[in-house]
Amino acid sequence: MSFEIYILSINGIDGPSKPIQAELCDISRSGCQLAFPLSLPVENNDIRIAINLKLFEDLLYFEGTLRWALEKNTVWHYGVQLEVEKENQDRLSREMRMLAGQGRIVVK
């Protein structure tokens, strides 16, 4: 699933306003794995991102922190710890159940 992310800040300094096209590889209630062709210095840096994502019906907005990075075939994969607001927790769970019901994601 493709969508846009925004770098909110790197070590407290505002990030660029231009969105980055990303691919969602994996998602859970507390985090996700993204892939995009940009190398970011995750180690020893606090990189905060924003995600606008439509999984099934609702457009969801999350903020999170990049926790790890791994390069695979010239594409960088990042682990994101999501900060899911209380009111979005139920919406995220519902969206994930709907996708699983259609066989678009695998629930483990």
Side-chain angles (χ1 to χ4, degrees):
M1 178 176 301
S2 294
F3 62 100
E4 293 180 339
I5 67 166
Y6 294 86
I7 298 175
L8 295 175
S9 65
I10 300 175
N11 297 327
I13 299 170
D14 288 346
S17 60
K18 183 178 178 181
I20 299 168
Q21 192 67 30
E23 189 79 20
L24 180 65
C25 302
D26 187 13
I27 189 165
S28 71
R29 290 182 184 93
S30 63
C32 65
Q33 182 183 152
L34 307 177
F36 48 91
L38 177 63
S39 174
L40 295 172
V42 174
E43 282 189 31
N44 303 317
N45 288 294
D46 179 32
I47 302 175
R48 297 200 31 80
I49 64 167
I51 299 172
N52 282 310
L53 177 64
K54 185 175 181 178
L55 291 175
F56 190 75
E57 288 181 341
D58 295 336
L59 183 62
L60 302 170
Y61 175 83
F62 303 114
E63 292 185 7
T65 304
L66 298 184
R67 292 294 183 206
W68 56 263
L70 177 67
E71 185 180 17
K72 296 180 186 176
N73 302 323
T74 70
V75 175
W76 284 88
H77 290 252
Y78 296 93
V80 181
Q81 181 178 352
L82 295 174
E83 297 165 7
V84 181
E85 301 280 329
K86 191 81 168 163
E87 60 271 8
N88 279 336
Q89 288 176 353
D90 291 337
R91 289 175 60 204
L92 176 59
S93 293
R94 183 176 60 89
E95 293 282 305
M96 289 172 44
R97 282 192 307 272
M98 293 171 96
L99 287 174
Q102 287 192 334
R104 293 177 56 196
I105 63 171
V106 177
V107 179
K108 295 180 182 182

